[in-house]
Amino acid sequence: MNIKLSYLFILLYALVSCQEKSIVNDLTFSNYVGHPKKITEIVTFANQNTDKSISYFDKDGFLTKKESYNVAKSESPGKRMMSDILIYDSKDKAKRHFETINAENKNVQAKGYFEKVSDSLYRRVSNSEITVMSLNKLLYLDKNNRLAKTEETGHFNGTPIKNIIIYSYTNDVKSEMLFEDLMNHKKSRLIYKNIKLDRYGNSVYEELVDDHGTLQQKIEREFEYY
């Protein structure tokens, strides 16, 4: 009897281990390779406004924390202060819960979870009473585990949201992004240009232009590896 029980436990452990290994990590969703442990990203928009974030990953490639920064109203031009922190609880890789915390007052601004639905479909759900936000985002993967499409529905600050984004790749590098706003019946296309890769094959610089060749975003990244 003990031998049968031991054999059963081994089978169950093997099954759980196999399921965890099949779960796609956050680096893969972002189309990053290698073993980055910290990624600093600065996005400059057409109006010259910028977003800055610092993401931290464990050795298995799962996001543990993301810090977002805003330009501070201070006497120092360009100085930034941390605005919020996204923290993941990754004990259960198949359904990871997260909280967004205000960096100044330490209050929880939003909560949610990121879960595996199937081998090619994941879901991210987030809710907030502070910003009156409730979002449900489906993420579809292609046969190479690359992000192929997202569908997002819900509302933010009372505004209904329903959009679709489709991604295209050339030689495993993102080449195009099609955005469809179903609420306002608008479609747009952004093309990736002037991409620069580091020695691991991760993009440290890229530009997004519209159909007319007008620059919409400039993205700069700095990678720190394990």
Side-chain angles (χ1 to χ4, degrees):
M1 186 66 177
N2 289 335
I3 295 177
K4 289 183 178 180
L5 283 174
S6 298
Y7 181 66
L8 178 60
F9 286 137
I10 291 172
L11 285 177
L12 288 173
Y13 177 78
L15 178 61
V16 172
S17 298
C18 182
Q19 288 177 339
E20 288 197 352
K21 287 181 181 179
S22 70
I23 297 171
V24 176
N25 64 32
D26 295 297
L27 290 175
T28 301
F29 268 106
S30 299
N31 203 39
Y32 298 138
V33 295
H35 299 284
K37 66 178 178 180
K38 177 182 174 182
I39 301 174
T40 302
E41 181 177 89
I42 297 177
V43 180
T44 304
F45 299 94
N47 59 6
Q48 297 305 307
N49 285 341
T50 61
D51 282 344
K52 178 182 177 180
S53 65
I54 302 177
S55 300
Y56 300 85
F57 301 85
D58 63 20
K59 290 185 178 181
D60 294 320
F62 290 94
L63 184 66
T64 59
K65 182 174 68 171
K66 182 177 181 179
E67 301 168 347
S68 298
Y69 294 79
N70 289 332
V71 175
K73 294 180 180 179
S74 68
E75 297 178 356
S76 302
K79 184 178 179 181
R80 289 177 170 272
M81 298 291 288
M82 191 186 302
S83 58
D84 57 71
I85 308 169
L86 175 67
I87 298 177
Y88 270 94
D89 181 354
S90 298
K91 293 185 181 70
D92 180 6
K93 293 291 194 296
K95 187 173 183 179
R96 297 182 294 136
H97 291 266
F98 61 82
E99 290 183 340
T100 301
I101 300 172
N102 184 293
E104 185 175 355
N105 57 31
K106 308 304 180 185
N107 291 334
V108 175
Q109 294 181 310
K111 292 183 177 182
Y113 60 88
F114 188 85
E115 67 174 348
K116 177 181 178 180
V117 180
S118 70
D119 286 343
S120 60
L121 176 62
Y122 286 70
R123 173 168 45 225
R124 188 181 194 275
V125 176
S126 53
N127 295 281
S128 172
E129 296 181 358
I130 297 175
T131 57
V132 194
M133 176 266 289
S134 178
L135 295 173
N136 187 338
K137 188 173 186 176
L138 298 176
L139 302 95
Y140 297 86
L141 300 171
D142 64 17
K143 62 181 180 180
N144 297 312
N145 274 346
R146 298 177 307 196
L147 183 61
K149 182 176 71 170
T150 64
E151 297 176 351
E152 189 168 33
T153 57
H155 63 268
F156 186 85
N157 278 338
T159 302
I161 293 173
K162 189 175 184 181
N163 59 55
I164 297 173
I165 301 176
I166 298 174
Y167 297 92
S168 299
Y169 297 82
T170 301
N171 297 325
D172 292 327
V173 177
K174 283 181 183 176
S175 58
E176 190 174 284
M177 180 172 65
L178 295 174
F179 178 83
E180 184 175 3
D181 181 349
L182 298 175
M183 296 301 302
N184 298 303
H185 308 289
K186 292 182 179 180
K187 293 182 180 181
S188 60
R189 181 172 72 137
L190 292 175
I191 303 167
Y192 289 82
K193 295 286 188 180
N194 299 320
I195 300 171
K196 297 179 182 178
L197 306 177
D198 67 9
R199 60 193 179 99
Y200 294 98
N202 290 316
S203 174
V204 295
Y205 180 85
E206 59 197 27
E207 296 173 353
L208 283 167
V209 302
D210 61 19
D211 284 333
H212 304 289
T214 303
L215 181 66
Q216 299 298 316
Q217 292 182 30
K218 179 178 69 175
I219 304 171
E220 302 166 274
R221 298 186 187 93
E222 181 179 338
F223 291 81
E224 183 179 330
Y225 294 89
Y226 279 101

